[in-house]
Amino acid sequence: MVVAPSTQPHVSGTGSATPTLAVRDLRVSIDSREIIHGIDLTVNKGEVHAILGPNGSGKSTLAYALMGHPRYDVTAGEVELKGEDLLGMSADERSRNGLFLCFQYPTSIPGIQMGNFLRLAMKARFGDAAVKTFRKELTEKLKILKMDDSYMRRYLNEGFSGGEKKKAEILQMALLKPEIAIMDETDSGLDVDAFKVVADGVNAMRGPDIGFVVITHYNRMLEYIKPDFVHVLIGGKIVKSGGPELAVAVDQNGYQPILEEVRAQGIEVELMEEAGATYAREEPTDREHDPFRSHGLTGL
Amino acid sequence: MTTALDAPAAPASLRTAGLTAEASRAIGEWRDDPAWVREWRAAGWAAWQTIPMPTATTEGWRRTPLSIIDVDQVHAVAAPAVPVRRVADLPEVVRALMGTGASHASTVVQSNGTTVLAELSDEARESGVVVCDIHEAFHRYPDLVREHLGTLVPARWQPGMPSNAGKFEALNAAFFTGGLFVYVPNGVEVSLPVRALNWHADTDAGFFPRSLIIVGENARLAFLEEYASVAAPEGGHPVFGSAVVEVFVKDGGRLDYTTIQDWSLSTAGFVTQRTTLGNNAYCNWVSVSLGGMYTRGTAEVILKGKGTKADMLGLAFGEGTQVFDFHTLQDHQSAFTDSDQLYKTAMRERSRLVYEGLINIRPGSYGSNGYQANRNLLLDDTAKADSIPMLEISDNDVRCTHGSSVGPIDKTHVYYLMTRGLPRADAERLVVQGFFEPVIERIASEDLKERVRAAVDAKIGGKGA
């Protein structure tokens, strides 16, 4: 594998022996087609890493692969979460060990009440004791996210607007207190007000106990959630890493200068459709997509 | 208040009789039915004799395994059940089915063709509500009963009536014992549900209850009925029977109707329920099927009056080799009528579902909406579901949709829940529970909601029924 100097994984400055999340030479395929061609990434608690990239660069694929989606095959490389082999864990084990993915297109599940679901998720992560403090914590988080208590009686994401779905994702993240949170294009589909609420919710969680991987293709997100480190992902590779100034450069000049710079170093970068994102979009479960929609029952 | 329960014990000769003309006649004598009922019963016997037994090539019966039933082995009348004065005196098995009974003040328990307990709330009694054994109603409310009985589900099938054959409905007419008469006078709203339990405890005799429910004009009722049965002896003939319910909701009336079939897994039974709605009447009908080795459920709603609306919800959960054979009809006979149906089933192991649902928009039903959806989860590769939604439209300016789906549990849903820390088994359980929840939440009783949730939960874990 050819790795240009500019693609070296960023070594974070905490100096701790075991990084919270360590991704080494990760390769990911969907339906035997390789999308991620070797990624290195190290994220520690207390850090916010932004991953920027054009559509189709493999950002969502990286997110899904880390969260153990069965359709994404990791063909090479290793990932450690707090020193433990992440790739050997099922999705639920990853979650219980402190990894969280804030989905770009959260699934709607009719029939499962939000409140009941959150209580079960809390119990899975923290054990029976969490059920006792659940109500109090929930009330607190709902307030931060400007969400009404009535959400708890609604079905999971069912009939939620784009903004409501994203808020619900942040709510889950706030309750489950992950050590590493991956946010996949959380800014997409949000109006300005909802966007601010979501960003405030994330900022309220920032601190020494959590590391973020913020995936986005707009700088807007990063104006509200200031990253410590910025990585540019193009063609399934991290082609450049740096500080917040890198995001500003991308915002002003686009990806073309970076592409040219990388290609000048003799590194092959191909642009492609982002299969992962396409896959996620293929699965509408909302009632509005149901061809058998009725005035009440039939969409359920 | 306890009503009269003094049905005399059946004569000994009836106890060993098969399904014969003589037995049919003798039941009318034993129950002291009036002459017109006896004539009607005789018409039922004649129809049972003349209507050919459906076969594997009969329309609507092609997927029905009738070979498991041998009517020659079935006795006409069950062993007498003992009437009691209080719920606490009921047999343990019946009390377990009753639950706490907290949310329904009126309770009727029928067993082996007779009423063993009838308690009516003060509220219901004072407002003129009637809940009693159908045979008692023949004498106490002869005009009301005669005007309605057999008009929706006749003893002898009439040409043009909306059903497939009427064979087992005729059998019910010939041998019916027990069943309920429920009447809510015009303008009366009953706040607490009326709960009826039909417990069949005789493995040799058939069960043939026949009920008549009348909700008066602008009246309101929540009616919860449940069918349960004893297990057949190992290797013996299945417990067998055919139940009929005729339901009338008069102009402006509202009925919340929940029916639960929780027979033993060695019971083969037929349930035919037909509801007719007067002008601007509404019916919220939830049908839950849990037990039975073979269940044929015929659920039909006739939107007879203008502006009527009916919601029909169904839930079935199969395991082992259970077969559920559902036939539904949304019969729009008037303008501006709305029907909305949602049947949801889950089948495990080698269980099997057949669903045939028809929306019939008759001439004159302009401005009507008919919707129909049948969703089936197959939890094992060996389970099977055949879903046949049908539409027949004979007027303009109507809106109809129908659709069905058969497939495994949604992996996307399971994955999403797993990413929140739920182990796979828990995630799958939650998805199946959630699948049924839109049906369960329409049951008009918190007790029964919990009971159905628990039953579904037990079936998911493979320890149901």
Side-chain angles (χ1 to χ4, degrees), chain A residues 101 155 169 172 283 295 298, chain B residues 340 371 373 412 416 420 441:
Chain A
L101 172 58
Y155 290 155
E169 293 287 289
Q172 293 174 40
E283 298 178 3
H295 50 255
T298 324
Chain B
D340 200 350
Y371 301 102
T412 322
Y416 184 82
R420 274 36 174 161
E441 70 176 13

Side-chain angles (χ1 to χ4, degrees), chain B residues 20-77:
Chain B
T20 61
E22 177 52 39
S24 172
R25 236 185 340 264
I27 289 171
E29 283 165 27
W30 161 45
R31 299 309 308 255
D32 192 25
D33 290 341
W36 71 267
V37 175
R38 295 188 197 193
E39 279 165 32
W40 186 79
R41 192 185 285 279
W45 170 258
W48 165 249
Q49 288 296 97
T50 40
I51 299 170
M53 185 66 87
T55 69
T57 57
T58 310
E59 187 63 42
W61 295 84
R62 291 188 178 138
R63 294 163 188 81
T64 306
L66 279 175
S67 57
I68 57 172
I69 300 159
D70 177 5
V71 289
D72 292 339
Q73 293 198 34
V74 178
H75 289 181
V77 171

Side-chain angles (χ1 to χ4, degrees), chain B residues 265-290:
Chain B
L265 291 176
S266 46
T267 296
F270 294 70
V271 180
T272 300
Q273 293 152 318
R274 186 166 293 137
T275 297
T276 186
L277 303 176
N279 292 324
N280 298 312
Y282 171 66
C283 179
N284 166 43
W285 184 355
V286 185
S287 175
V288 175
S289 300
L290 301 167

Side-chain angles (χ1 to χ4, degrees), chain A residues 102-108 114 147 151 156-172 190 198 284-286 288-289, chain B residues 416 420:
Chain A
C102 193
F103 285 95
Q104 186 179 1
Y105 302 103
T107 307
S108 303
M114 195 78 189
M147 291 172 84
Y151 280 101
L156 184 53
N157 291 329
E158 174 78 1
F160 282 27
S161 71
E164 288 171 334
K165 281 186 187 174
K166 295 297 169 74
K167 281 191 199 175
E169 293 287 289
I170 304 294
L171 174 67
Q172 293 174 40
L190 291 187
V198 164
T285 48
D286 292 1
E288 58 261 36
H289 295 288
Chain B
Y416 184 82
R420 274 36 174 161

Side-chain angles (χ1 to χ4, degrees), chain B residues 71-146:
Chain B
V71 289
D72 292 339
Q73 293 198 34
V74 178
H75 289 181
V77 171
V82 182
V84 297
R85 298 277 156 188
R86 300 176 306 154
V87 171
D89 298 332
L90 289 165
E92 174 67 41
V93 61
V94 180
R95 265 185 294 142
L97 289 165
M98 300 286 301
T100 64
S103 68
H104 28 80
S106 302
T107 302
V108 189
V109 179
Q110 298 194 310
S111 186
N112 294 6
T114 56
T115 302
V116 295
L117 178 80
E119 286 181 346
L120 199 54
S121 70
D122 292 343
E123 176 222 13
R125 186 162 35 85
E126 283 160 16
S127 53
V129 173
V130 178
V131 180
C132 69
D133 193 291
I134 189 94
H135 300 281
E136 188 183 333
F138 293 150
H139 298 288
R140 283 174 60 192
Y141 310 97
D143 297 340
L144 201 53
V145 175
R146 196 167 183 176

